[in-house]
Amino acid sequence: MPIRFDHKPGLVIYLTAGDPSLQATRAIALEAIDAGADVIELGVPFSDPLADGPVIQRASERALERGTRLRDVIALAAEIRAARPAAGLVLFTYLNPILRYGLSRFADDAAAAGADGVLVTDMIVEEAGEYLAQMERTGLSPIFLAAPTSPDERLQAIATHSKGFVYAISRTGITGKQQSMTGDAATLVDRIRRWTTLPVAVGFGISNADHVAQVAEFADAAVVGSAIVELIERSTPETAPGAVARFIKGLRLPQAALTR
Amino acid sequence: MASVIHPAAPTESQPGRFGIYGGRYVPETLVAALVELEHEYEAAKADPAFQAELAGLLKDYAGRPTPLYHAKRLTHELGGAKIYLKREDLLHTGAHKINNALGQGLLARRMGKQRIIAETGAGQHGVATATVCALLGLECVIYMGQVDMERQELNVLRMRLLGAEVRGVQSGSKTLKDAISEAMRDWVTNVRTTHYLLGSALGAHPYPTMVRDFHRVISREMREQILEKEGRLPTAVIACVGGGSNAIGAFYEFIPDREVRLIGVEAGGRGAALGEHAARFSGGVPGVLQGTYSYVLQDENGQIAPTHSVSAGLDYASIGPEHAALHDSGRAEYVSQDDTATLDAVVKLARLEGILPALESAHAVAECIRIAPSMSEHDILVVNLSGRGDKDMGILARELKIQGA
């Protein structure tokens, strides 16, 4: 299924699968979709998440303590797909769990589960020969990250080999909140658009309606991760789905409504 | 429109690959910095002025060449092969780590990067980096796992005295692996102003190649010295392997000499179960950790396994990718020695030769002690004594029940 951003601005919501439990992640994901998330990124917890800040590190630790495995996350994806046929669904992971699972088997199982795409944090285009072949074979969209530090020839390669959307990193750094958007993000999105007509989603540090409104001025979608994961951390498994739904609805409220 | 960057399969030969191992598996934000480093390193390597400055510092500041010492009493005691020790422990700051720290420090200055970050396990690389930053007037931040800060406190104090900021890492197993992750998080955030002075032959390309090149001097000297003293090459070269920087430095110039056995010694820790050791070649499978494809100790779900060694410097779940290739090709052999044999080796070398080896290096000594007696007196063993053991006095006093004041 093609990834579409039907809402303006589009919203990609990241969840660490298995935090606080797989069942809770399922409930949260469904509420998030119903509240207007265009794409759910299901994060596969990893023991050494070197691109992530403290919030997602803690969530990963909690998910791993509960024994969450890649196969469980794929099964969760299948459940979400069955319940919400039209939503975008992306598996977001570090490379090593996939290698251990088997790249080809992973691609088969992720596609069978109904995932639309895959984003591997530590996979760059130059190393992606076999990975791209497996994505192509199974009809999954490989989504690559583009960074403010990526020179034009890299952005061209990233744009050429991405499908679904291109994920633009808003700033140098790890995942986590920030006060305001820097000029890096808008410049990067402009540079990416020179090479592709794919939608561009901006992520890292987007945590409120103000940020989403800023991103909407130059990109197709905003990715919200740590802010949601932190909200889940502060909630109980019972209250988390509702809290996440309210938060997502609030992300698209105009600025005036927030200050009133 | 054709792209100039092409995806490659890991089986294709390309820069930064050692057989199928190595490569560059990092967040996109770091790639430009790695490419810049690769190009700057290639330029520096070909620049006589850079090479002359590095050679001058290695000689007059660090104390190269290091001696190749015939350990007569150890040889006699073991009653087999003739044993030589390559005395990297005599270098300034107490270990081979200064070779690479000087090289990368000069490179950082050349790239105009004023801020240096590094990880450290045993603290030897942290001390070497702090030293070079003091020498070159660079800002220095060292990441060190909380467990390692406690067991290698002396080196924490040395780094702080040298003007470095030491940041304790509380995540994961609070050891070397977690210090590397935290250094990478800093680098990804401050990549425009900061050089990551990685301390082992690990990580994404060009680090494994560059760090090896800065340590090649060890085997270059070894080879000349043994030919001068013995008129022939050694039977075997033995070195401990954590990430593998001292070992690759000690092996490299001997790789074409097929008759010389190359023996890497991993940390056997306190048992064979996953989590009890850091012997990547007995229990690890190929995977990606912290930028490179190599053998990794991990569970069946691809989560990185905890490790244990009495030596903080060998306590790591992966191994340099060039060692993985040397292992698979059979050119080098990899064995392990456990905590107990290592502590025995420390005592033996101290009492017989008056040399106190670092716990890391003592793993190599332990393997020498194991194999020398069954060899002939015509055999020659060269042990790379990569560091000195002063830093380990706290652990040694506790483990060996040595009484203090």
Side-chain angles (χ1 to χ4, degrees), chain A residues 45-50 52 57 64 95-96 100 122 124-127 129 145 147 149-150 154 156-157 172-173 184, chain B residues 2-4 7-8 17 23-26 28-29 31-32 177 185 188-189 192 287-288 298-304:
Chain A
F46 184 52
S47 54
D48 297 79
L50 57 81
D52 285 301
Q57 286 179 48
L64 289 174
L95 180 56
N96 199 59
R100 190 65 197 255
D122 47 356
I124 63 170
V125 174
E126 288 93 324
E127 305 289 6
L145 297 164
T149 50
S150 307
R154 297 199 57 73
Q156 183 187 2
T172 60
D184 273 1
Chain B
S3 168
V4 292
R17 285 276 170 194
R24 191 176 269 163
Y25 298 94
V26 291
E28 173 64 26
T29 306
V31 178
K177 166 173 79 74
R185 291 183 185 116
V188 94
T189 306
R192 288 170 170 137
V288 165
Q298 52 182 300
D299 70 15
E300 66 278 12
N301 298 305
Q303 305 295 340
I304 309 308

Side-chain angles (χ1 to χ4, degrees), chain A residues 12-35:
Chain A
V12 179
I13 299 297
Y14 169 93
L15 302 170
T16 299
D19 172 44
S21 69
L22 287 160
Q23 197 184 0
T25 304
R26 179 180 181 278
I28 294 166
L30 299 186
E31 285 285 340
I33 293 163
D34 294 345

Side-chain angles (χ1 to χ4, degrees), chain B residues 265-278:
Chain B
V265 188
E266 299 186 282
R270 58 191 167 208
L274 193 64
E276 297 295 303
H277 64 86

